[in-house]
């Protein structure tokens, strides 16, 4: 029996376990000091150019970022169809309508021409997804946003630890960025997310909205207290992060350079091994990013067979993503490239416990699959 190779998994050590035990014995499990420290450490990681608000999931981060930008009923938010359904649901949660945009087959990022074509009087924001950890034509997005007066919420769930198009740490610059620290992202809190911005109004709003809209409750919580006589004026949510999750995230953050190095090396070895395998590797600069997933494009009709072939050999793969505009809740037309991409994309295993031997086994299996089908 060969060992099962997982698509993705968290890389958790004794440090994270000890940190959780520490919170347990300290006795403050909810939102408190650990969350405050995690936010400060993230701010330092972003070179103190932005402020950070930690929440319970990446989806909550996107929802609150949009709400803080004033997005709501009657508004439209432009978003690439190739993304996790979380992006679409977060937009819909504000009452706004997600407008599915087509993508660029070369990198899986939003197509700027389709985006611009779909802007209307109702457009309020662009959700820019960092597909496969890459920021795409980010400066082009900001140019369009400036021209039409739109906010930009960057779904940076894939890209923590990487650099943007001008070599700055992702999260140190931009309108509003949202990260996810769920179980399989570049760093994990177990579950978690963060809203990042240099706009103090957005940060203030997000801080209140995560605590049911209770104004200025955050500072009390960080001092082990809470507000009893308080004011609420907006719809808020129960989206704050707990000390337990923050403690895990603080230990993970210390390891980000190691994780990034490891993930980049694995991807570079994959690229070497895939040189004579008939799949297309996306046109991304893998040396600037912290790669979260490794999607390749497989000729139509062969993707699902290859997926099954690999699974029979104990190799798990993924599909990032089924286009959202094909889901009944978000049904729309006119994203033909996204549909092609959704049928061809196959994500290969990528995580910090993967070995070069695993990659050799995966890519050799792929070679065998294609040679059987040729003869
Ligand atoms: C993971 C992910 C999210 C949501 O993050 P959660 O923490 O799982 O809620 C949003 N967008 C993308 C692209 C993601 O990969």
């Amino acid at each position: 029996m060969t060992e099962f190779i997982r698509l993705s998994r968290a890389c958790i050590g004794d440090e994270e376990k000890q940190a959780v035990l520490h919170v347990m014995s300290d006795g403050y499990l909810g939102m408190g000091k650990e969350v405050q420290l995690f936010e400060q450490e993230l701010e330092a990681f972003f070179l103190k150019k932005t402020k950070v608000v930690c929440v319970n999931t990446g989806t909550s981060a996107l929802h609150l970022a949009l709400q803080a930008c004033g997005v709501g009923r009657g508004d439209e938010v432009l978003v690439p169809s190739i993304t996790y359904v979380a992006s679409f649901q977060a937009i819909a949660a504000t009452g706004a309508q997600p407008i599915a945009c087509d993508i660029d087959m070369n990198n899986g990022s939003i197509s700027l021409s389709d985006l611009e074509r779909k802007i209307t009087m109702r457009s309020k924001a662009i959700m820019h997804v960092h597909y496969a950890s890459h920021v795409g034509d980010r400066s082009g997005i900001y140019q369009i946003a400036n021209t039409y007066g739109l906010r930009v919420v960057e779904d940076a769930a894939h890209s923590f630890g990487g650099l943007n198009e001008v070599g700055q740490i992702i999260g140190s610059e931009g309108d509003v960025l949202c990260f996810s620290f769920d179980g399989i992202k570049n760093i994990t809190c177990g579950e978690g997310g963060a809203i990042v911005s240099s706009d103090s109004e957005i940060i203030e709003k997000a801080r209140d909205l995560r605590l049911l809209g209770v104004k200025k409750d955050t500072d009390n919580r960080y001092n082990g207290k809470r507000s009893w006589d308080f004011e609420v004026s907006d719809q808020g949510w129960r989206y704050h992060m707990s000390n337990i999750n923050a403690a895990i995230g603080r230990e993970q953050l210390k390891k980000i350079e190691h994780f990034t190095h490891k993930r980049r090396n694995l991807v570079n070895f994959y690229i070497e091994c895939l040189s004579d395998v008939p799949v297309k590797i996306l046109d991304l600069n893998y040396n600037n990013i912290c790669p979260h997933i490794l999607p390749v494009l497989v000729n139509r009709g062969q993707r699902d067979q290859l997926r099954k072939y690999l699974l029979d050999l104990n190799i798990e793969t993924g599909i990032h993503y089924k286009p959202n505009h094909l889901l009944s809740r978000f049904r729309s037309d006119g994203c033909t490239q996204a549909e092609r991409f959704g049928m061809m994309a196959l994500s290969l295993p990528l995580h910090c416990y993967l070995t070069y031997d695993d990659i050799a086994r995966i890519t050799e299996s792929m070679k065998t699959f294609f040679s059987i089908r040729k003869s």
Side-chain angles (χ1 to χ4, degrees), residues 11 70 91 126-127 134 187 223 257 263 277 321 333 340:
C11 210
I91 295 167
I126 301 169
M127 185 175 285
H134 196 262
I187 64 168
N223 292 314
E257 261 179 62
R263 284 174 175 272
V277 180
Y321 294 94
D333 291 321
R340 262 184 78 207

Side-chain angles (χ1 to χ4, degrees), residues 56-60 62 83-84 86-87 129 155 157-158 179-182 185 191-193 292 321:
N56 58 344
T57 70
T59 310
S60 309
L62 291 168
T83 182
Y84 190 34
S87 315
V129 179
D155 179 343
H158 290 188
F179 292 96
S180 162
F181 308 129
D182 76 21
K185 292 291 170 28
E191 297 286 355
H292 164 54
Y321 294 94

